[in-house]
Amino acid sequence: MANLKEIRNRISSVSSTMQITSAMKMVSAAKLKKAQDAITAMRPYSNKLTELLQSLSATLDADSGSKFAEQREVNKVLIVAISSNRGLAGAFNSNIIKQVNVLLSETYTGKEVSILTIGKKVNDAFKKKSIIIDNKSDVFDDLTFDNVAEIAEMIMDKFVDGDFDRVELVYNSFKNAATQIVMTEQFLPIVPVKNNANVNLDYIFEPSKQEIVETLIPKSLKTQLFKAIRDSFASEHGARMTAMHKATDNATELRDQLKLTYNKARQAAITNEILEIVGGAEALNN
């Protein structure tokens, strides 16, 4: 059994760790509320914009389709991997890394695959493979639509220029504080509408459907990327809050066990001292 000093040092160490994880949990909880409100408010707008775009696209002829909807043979693929800049968030980052590896080794095996990283953790995981074309981790320092729009425009330009035949987004979608869903979402080319039966076409178009679509598609793509990053940002804080909550609970349980061990060891030491005193007194009496 460890001596009392060693146990006291371990109790002190675990208590310090518990205070740190508890503080991190509260910080993440505060940030989560703001991030959750932002993505919750944005989703209806993003969904409605996509619905409107699909309604317009459904009425266009195949020959008048957007350059962002051009279907090409998939030889060159860009994966936009979105993680966080910091760790201590459970499996948040490792799930993204695993999904990117699945795309590399299974889905797009034999293809020319490049990665655009948004987040230091995923960048660190793949920088040794020399397939990263750029790292935009600094977008989290000032997460605004304008900053994300610049990244989206760069991706769109590369697709139009033929640098890539397909662009995939890989990110964590926020469901609740304890659940994040890894999403693989096709960004470019635009996924065609499969079912036009329920599309509402009762619109008056001015100036024309073609011009409206050409204006809406870039805006919709920028919004789609912004939503994905916002989703990931909210998921990060939810994952970190959950991880720190579990870490705090584990530290509390370990501290209680160490205190029990300490009390038992202290009681045994006191008992031994009493027995030594009694034994010494009996020896003197005899």
Side-chain angles (χ1 to χ4, degrees):
M1 182 178 291
N3 61 44
L4 294 177
K5 184 178 180 181
E6 291 176 349
I7 298 176
R8 282 199 302 268
N9 289 339
R10 290 191 63 189
I11 291 174
S12 177
S13 176
V14 171
S15 297
S16 297
T17 301
M18 185 179 68
Q19 290 176 348
I20 294 171
T21 56
S22 180
M24 291 182 67
K25 171 191 169 184
M26 289 187 290
V27 170
S28 292
K31 291 183 178 180
L32 172 63
K33 181 63 170 65
K34 184 178 179 180
Q36 182 178 353
D37 290 345
I39 188 60
T40 302
M42 183 181 179
R43 276 175 179 165
Y45 170 78
S46 177
N47 294 338
K48 189 63 180 178
L49 183 61
T50 301
E51 177 188 336
L52 179 60
L53 183 64
Q54 290 177 343
S55 298
L56 293 173
S57 299
T59 65
L60 293 176
D61 297 330
D63 296 336
S64 61
S66 168
K67 56 188 176 182
F68 299 115
E70 181 183 353
Q71 303 290 329
R72 302 192 288 254
E73 182 181 354
V74 179
N75 293 315
K76 294 178 288 185
V77 180
L78 175 65
I79 299 174
V80 182
I82 306 171
S83 70
S84 68
N85 287 338
R86 297 186 297 128
L88 297 177
F92 175 83
N93 293 306
S94 61
N95 286 340
I96 294 298
I97 295 169
K98 288 178 183 177
Q99 182 60 25
V100 173
N101 279 323
V102 168
L103 294 177
L104 290 173
S105 61
E106 297 180 14
T107 307
Y108 296 116
T109 181
K111 308 294 184 182
E112 183 182 339
V113 182
S114 303
I115 300 177
L116 171 65
T117 57
I118 302 177
K120 291 180 180 178
K121 291 301 178 180
V122 70
N123 183 71
D124 292 343
F126 293 101
K127 63 182 179 182
K128 293 183 179 179
K129 293 187 176 182
S130 302
I131 57 176
I132 295 178
I133 63 166
D134 204 350
N135 176 29
K136 297 293 184 180
S137 301
D138 56 348
V139 73
F140 289 113
D141 297 335
D142 185 17
L143 187 53
T144 63
F145 180 81
D146 290 338
N147 289 336
V148 175
E150 293 179 4
I151 302 174
E153 287 175 356
M154 182 265 289
I155 297 172
M156 291 153 60
D157 290 341
K158 287 183 177 295
F159 176 79
V160 172
D161 293 341
D163 293 347
F164 303 107
D165 302 314
R166 178 172 293 176
V167 180
E168 298 272 16
L169 303 181
V170 180
Y171 65 98
N172 281 291
S173 177
F174 178 81
K175 183 176 181 180
N176 54 53
T179 306
Q180 299 82 39
I181 303 171
V182 178
M183 300 290 292
T184 301
E185 187 176 282
Q186 184 171 317
F187 185 65
L188 287 169
I190 296 172
V191 180
V193 182
K194 295 181 179 179
N195 184 10
N196 298 336
N198 297 323
V199 176
N200 182 10
L201 305 179
D202 189 16
Y203 295 111
I204 297 176
F205 301 103
E206 179 66 32
S208 69
K209 288 182 287 187
Q210 180 67 31
E211 291 181 54
I212 292 173
V213 168
E214 290 299 326
T215 302
L216 274 181
I217 285 179
K219 184 176 182 63
S220 176
L221 290 170
K222 293 173 186 177
T223 303
Q224 182 182 355
L225 181 60
F226 186 54
K227 181 178 74 70
I229 296 177
R230 273 288 187 190
D231 245 337
S232 179
F233 189 64
S235 298
E236 174 193 351
H237 292 301
R240 182 169 292 111
M241 186 187 75
T242 302
M244 291 302 99
H245 176 73
K246 292 180 179 178
T248 302
D249 289 346
N250 292 337
T252 302
E253 182 180 352
L254 180 57
R255 184 196 60 181
D256 293 341
Q257 291 176 352
L258 287 171
K259 284 185 176 181
L260 182 61
T261 302
Y262 175 80
N263 290 334
K264 287 181 178 179
R266 184 166 175 268
Q267 185 178 15
I270 293 173
T271 301
N272 288 334
E273 291 177 2
I274 293 174
L275 290 175
E276 289 175 0
I277 293 172
V278 172
E282 290 181 355
L284 290 175
N285 291 333
N286 294 332

